[in-house]
Amino acid sequence: MNPVVDVKDLETTFFLKSGPFRAVNRISYSINQAETLGIVGESGCGKSVTSFSLMRLIDRPGKVTHGQALLNGKDLFKLSEPEIESVRGGQMAMIFQEPMTALNPVLTIGFQMNEQIEKHLKLTKKDAKDRAIEMLQLVGIPSAAERYDNYSHQLSGGMRQRAMIAMALSCNPQFLIADEPTTALDVTIQAQILELFQNLQEKLKMSVQFITHDLGVISEVSDKVLVMYAGQMCETGPTQEVLTSPRHPYTAALIESRPQMGHRIDRLKTIEGSVPAPHELPVGCPFSNRCSRVKSECWTIKPAFVNITPTRKIACFNPL
Amino acid sequence: MSDIILETKGLKKHFPIKKGFFLREVGSVKAVDDIDLTVYRGETLGLVGESGCGKSTLGRALIRLYEPTAGTIQFDGADFLHAKGETLRKSRKDLQMIFQDPYASLDPRMTVGQIIEQPFHIHNMLNQTERRQRVKQLLELVGLKASHVNRYPHEFSGGQRQRISIARAIALDPKLIICDEPVSALDVSIQAQILNLLKDLQARLKLTYVFISHDLSVIEHVCDRIAVMYLGRIVEITSRDELFKNPQHPYTQALMQSIPAIGLGKKKMSKILTGEIPSPINPPSGCTFHPRCPYKMDICVNTTPALRGTPDHLRSCHLDSNMESKFKTNTTTQKELL
């Protein structure tokens, strides 16, 4: 079975005054039908730029400078502007982190949903409205018909995120990108949204790319995980395997530096220093200057991203 | 641990809602309602809850950044709430705060040196050279370099900025520091550094912390005692061990189950809370948690439960002890999974 999404050697560069900055550096992954890939990493690791690249939402001074992204065999980067517009929001949709800024405050929820539904599903106004209300009901918004005429500020944070999800799913996407969809929410609301998300994915058989910095969330929603650091891939594999027995020192450090309920320790392990600025990136492995297992070759040679088992890959000369 | 440093009784902070041309008061937001809280010297007391539960308001009211509407505050044996003038200034020296957002809490037009020197200015302490020296000491104490003194905040990363605000907070040798979500704006690896730093400083400088966070796993890591808040009230307060072993309030229970854990696999959430946090302008009658509570009884709708239980473990819930055993079995299964 061919994967629904197949990204190969994606590279996105921002041409800044201070010189080109590679936010995403040759990353590859694929997602099968009804599968969830979690992308995890700290701020600045390129996880959001990856999603924006796939949606073709990277604007100047940024540009996708290399690679391809196949959605059902079609390369998204080769599509013309009208062609990508017919895919974006239709076959491929995205949920953003901040529903307050992602929704238009001067248009009703219903208007914004209709726009999309009329365009992609080619429905009449009336049918589009029915479809929108049906979607709002599906994501668990009470009295959906009234909410349809509401503006985004009239909804609570959790409801707004539900409306965003309804909007993203309204045109039956095969591929959904969720960029930190629960980060702005409280934990009890987050739990509701994550459960809704999983139920909907099962029902609609979507392929999902789920981006978050929270390893706990990744563990609960994803089948496989990709750990990124400074725009590069560190480790990938089945989620539970990677999280319970990480091989890349960065993945291990990330897990250990997180206080975990029920695991009491006196001091947390830390990763010394912070993520290097783009112009300070080490020549060899990007993590070399913070790594506790660094060897001499790490400073000069960039480790290749290779298989260690048939399903797992890492980029490290001295894995755990 | 009987040495009390801060004690509040019936502390309230209501924000008036004003409407119309004459700004008539039409209601109030009961952000903090009727809080009895005791902080012991040398401990870390955690305040945990979701947004809108009043934890930050309470933190600010404790040190009179917000003037409380009613109640009493005793700090170090003296009445702090009605302190004025010189007495107030002296107490302020002993009460400091670390804010959530290190990008907003440092003045971008001041150098790091000037920022950390401010407290000495305000309290008219030390001369110029002594101040300079002290600032350098403080920078090194929080893990920065003395040579950073002439740089501006924008030259630092988020974690480093938070170190600067910590240096500012400990400059005057305070007794109590309110930490208002000090790590929630930071990446996990940086978060761990700051949490360790706070722990080290506490041991070294004999500090007392009131630690505010929405993240139960962070709270569990740093706190000795924990107060769980919901809609402006404390619903449960006890020691850390007791709270995690034997959570008695259904809200605490739900909060613990909502936290995603690593390594359990894709799971169906068994018992998640339905509904949302009600508005504190118009809180539900009786127990404010009753619209979301899985164990709701008739009495919950009408009567506000008082904080009750043993002095070491208080909770505000109408449920009796046979319900508690039900909770216990729930938590043990959860612990086993962890």
Side-chain angles (χ1 to χ4, degrees):
Chain A
M1 192 176 72
N2 280 335
V4 177
V5 183
D6 197 2
V7 176
K8 280 194 194 112
D9 287 329
L10 173 68
E11 181 185 288
T12 305
T13 314
F14 286 83
F15 296 93
L16 306 174
K17 274 190 192 135
S18 52
F21 158 47
R22 237 168 247 168
V24 175
N25 202 343
R26 308 270 164 150
I27 72 167
S28 308
Y29 56 86
S30 63
I31 310 173
N32 294 322
Q33 196 187 13
E35 188 178 49
T36 303
L37 169 76
I39 300 186
V40 67
E42 296 179 279
S43 37
C45 74
K47 52 193 194 301
S48 288
V49 176
T50 307
S51 323
F52 281 93
S53 301
L54 293 194
M55 292 293 281
R56 291 262 304 263
L57 290 173
I58 295 285
D59 221 342
R60 277 198 302 178
K63 204 177 167 222
V64 174
T65 39
H66 191 269
Q68 57 177 17
L70 304 179
L71 177 64
N72 292 323
K74 259 190 300 178
D75 189 350
L76 294 170
F77 300 142
K78 294 219 172 81
L79 298 181
S80 66
E81 203 50 42
E83 280 171 330
I84 188 77
E85 264 171 32
S86 73
V87 175
R88 197 195 288 144
Q91 272 182 64
M92 172 169 74
M94 183 157 175
I95 301 169
F96 298 89
Q97 171 172 358
E98 252 303 332
M100 194 63 208
T101 47
L103 293 170
N104 191 331
V106 297
L107 301 174
T108 60
I109 302 287
F111 184 92
Q112 295 178 62
M113 291 185 76
N114 267 11
E115 232 177 9
Q116 189 180 354
I117 297 169
E118 280 170 38
K119 179 173 166 63
H120 291 289
L121 299 184
K122 313 254 179 314
L123 294 179
T124 62
K125 263 211 161 75
K126 202 189 152 294
D127 290 345
K129 181 175 177 180
D130 291 342
R131 169 82 183 154
I133 293 175
E134 183 195 320
M135 289 311 295
L136 290 173
Q137 275 162 352
L138 185 71
V139 297
I141 294 183
S143 48
E146 287 161 40
R147 292 304 184 191
Y148 177 87
D149 291 317
N150 276 168
Y151 293 90
S152 58
H153 71 266
Q154 291 170 299
L155 304 180
S156 69
M159 283 303 152
R160 243 179 256 143
Q161 197 55 287
R162 283 174 197 261
M164 274 286 289
I165 295 174
M167 197 177 288
L169 301 184
S170 59
C171 303
N172 307 317
Q174 291 164 294
F175 176 42
L176 180 71
I177 299 177
D179 188 357
E180 305 251 15
T182 59
T183 308
L185 305 175
D186 280 313
V187 274
T188 56
I189 310 297
Q190 167 172 294
Q192 294 172 3
I193 299 285
L194 290 181
E195 198 202 21
L196 166 75
F197 208 83
Q198 286 179 16
N199 289 342
L200 290 176
Q201 189 188 9
E202 245 163 56
K203 222 184 269 175
L204 308 172
K205 302 263 174 281
M206 290 177 294
S207 309
V208 178
Q209 173 173 322
F210 198 103
I211 293 167
T212 173
H213 67 281
D214 188 332
L215 289 166
V217 172
I218 281 282
S219 172
E220 282 187 4
V221 299
S222 67
D223 302 293
K224 56 187 187 183
V225 64
L226 171 67
V227 183
M228 285 181 72
Y229 182 78
Q232 300 182 29
M233 296 183 289
C234 289
E235 180 160 8
T236 186
T239 306
Q240 299 321 318
E241 251 182 69
V242 172
L243 294 184
T244 47
S245 59
R247 299 293 302 278
H248 195 287
Y250 177 64
T251 318
L254 209 55
I255 295 169
E256 281 174 359
S257 62
R258 174 182 185 272
Q260 243 183 305
M261 248 172 64
H263 285 269
R264 255 174 235 167
I265 34 171
D266 204 34
R267 288 182 68 81
L268 293 168
K269 288 238 174 91
T270 61
I271 312 177
E272 283 313 310
S274 49
V275 183
H279 58 275
E280 292 167 344
L281 217 56
V283 191
C285 171
F287 190 53
S288 55
N289 60 344
R290 301 175 75 191
C291 185
S292 57
R293 300 173 60 84
V294 66
K295 294 203 299 186
S296 56
E297 62 255 50
C298 302
W299 296 104
T300 46
I301 311 164
K302 193 173 279 181
F305 197 61
V306 288
N307 278 89
I308 45 167
T309 70
T311 52
R312 288 182 71 174
K313 280 181 169 184
I314 58 167
C316 185
F317 289 122
N318 192 14
L320 288 153
Chain B
M1 269 226 306
S2 57
D3 192 4
I4 295 170
I5 185 163
L6 187 87
E7 192 175 20
T8 72
K9 285 250 156 63
L11 192 71
K12 289 184 186 174
K13 177 66 199 171
H14 295 180
F15 294 99
I17 308 166
K18 292 178 177 166
K19 269 205 178 132
F21 183 71
F22 294 106
L23 294 180
R24 252 184 327 127
E25 206 176 310
V26 292
S28 64
V29 180
K30 299 186 178 63
V32 166
D33 213 16
D34 222 354
I35 300 273
D36 295 346
L37 196 67
T38 313
V39 186
Y40 296 101
R41 201 180 297 275
E43 74 167 352
T44 303
L45 173 72
L47 297 179
V48 66
E50 297 178 281
S51 46
C53 74
K55 54 191 190 303
S56 289
T57 310
L58 175 59
R60 287 170 184 229
L62 285 181
I63 59 170
R64 288 179 63 190
L65 272 184
Y66 290 146
E67 283 297 337
T69 317
T72 63
I73 305 174
Q74 293 271 325
F75 176 66
D76 230 359
D79 181 4
F80 176 62
L81 187 60
H82 301 104
K84 277 194 186 120
E86 204 44 37
T87 1
L88 178 63
R89 270 169 68 89
K90 281 213 178 100
S91 311
R92 286 243 192 260
K93 226 175 68 183
D94 293 331
L95 291 162
Q96 294 292 330
M97 184 145 182
I98 300 166
F99 296 91
Q100 170 172 6
D101 186 352
Y103 291 82
S105 60
L106 302 175
D107 189 331
R109 283 160 300 192
M110 288 163 95
T111 64
V112 170
Q114 287 169 327
I115 289 171
I116 302 175
E117 222 185 280
Q118 272 299 299
F120 301 116
H121 254 294
I122 292 165
H123 291 277
N124 225 341
M125 289 163 67
L126 311 179
N127 65 33
Q128 198 65 23
T129 34
E130 284 171 335
R131 278 181 195 170
R132 290 260 163 81
Q133 223 173 1
R134 183 85 181 108
V135 167
K136 284 183 180 163
Q137 278 173 3
L138 285 165
L139 278 174
E140 275 162 8
L141 197 61
V142 297
L144 294 169
K145 292 193 189 103
S147 56
H148 287 158
V149 64
N150 289 322
R151 294 206 195 163
Y152 287 90
H154 73 262
E155 297 173 67
F156 294 90
S157 67
Q160 286 173 317
R161 282 184 214 212
Q162 203 55 298
R163 287 175 193 268
I164 297 169
S165 26
I166 293 173
R168 177 176 61 183
I170 60 172
L172 298 172
D173 260 325
K175 292 178 179 151
L176 177 77
I177 299 182
I178 313 278
C179 310
D180 189 0
E181 305 252 16
V183 295
S184 47
L186 307 174
D187 274 321
V188 262
S189 69
I190 311 298
Q191 183 176 320
Q193 293 173 7
I194 298 294
L195 291 177
N196 284 345
L197 173 68
L198 286 172
K199 273 199 160 183
D200 292 345
L201 290 175
Q202 180 170 39
R204 214 157 141 182
L205 307 173
K206 311 254 180 310
L207 294 168
T208 307
Y209 290 140
V210 172
F211 195 100
I212 300 167
S213 177
H214 67 280
D215 188 337
L216 254 184
S217 32
V218 170
I219 286 278
E220 183 188 16
H221 179 70
V222 294
C223 296
D224 304 307
R225 281 195 315 133
I226 298 166
V228 182
M229 291 186 67
Y230 188 76
L231 268 188
R233 286 167 184 276
I234 290 178
V235 295
E236 185 161 5
I237 178 166
T238 182
S239 71
R240 170 182 73 171
D241 294 343
E242 176 70 10
L243 187 79
F244 282 89
K245 229 182 293 159
N246 182 20
Q248 294 187 347
H249 197 284
Y251 178 64
T252 315
Q253 183 78 22
L255 209 54
M256 285 182 185
Q257 287 185 345
S258 303
I259 292 176
I262 286 184
L264 298 183
K266 267 182 136 173
K267 69 161 190 200
K268 280 273 174 303
M269 315 261 172
S270 50
K271 224 196 292 164
I272 54 173
L273 281 186
T274 50
E276 307 198 5
I277 305 162
S279 149
I281 300 174
N282 197 3
S285 61
C287 171
T288 48
F289 186 59
H290 83 258
R292 301 176 78 192
C293 183
Y295 308 102
K296 190 178 97 179
M297 301 177 291
D298 291 340
I299 183 173
C300 307
V301 184
N302 304 315
T303 322
T304 309
L307 266 177
R308 64 195 180 103
T310 59
D312 295 332
H313 192 161
L314 295 166
R315 65 175 199 284
S316 63
C317 184
H318 290 299
L319 286 172
D320 50 19
S321 45
N322 53 29
M323 275 323 259
E324 283 159 25
S325 55
K326 210 178 197 175
F327 285 145
K328 263 178 209 155
T329 45
N330 278 336
T331 26
T332 38
T333 46
Q334 205 202 2
K335 283 280 156 188
E336 278 158 18
L337 285 170
L338 284 170

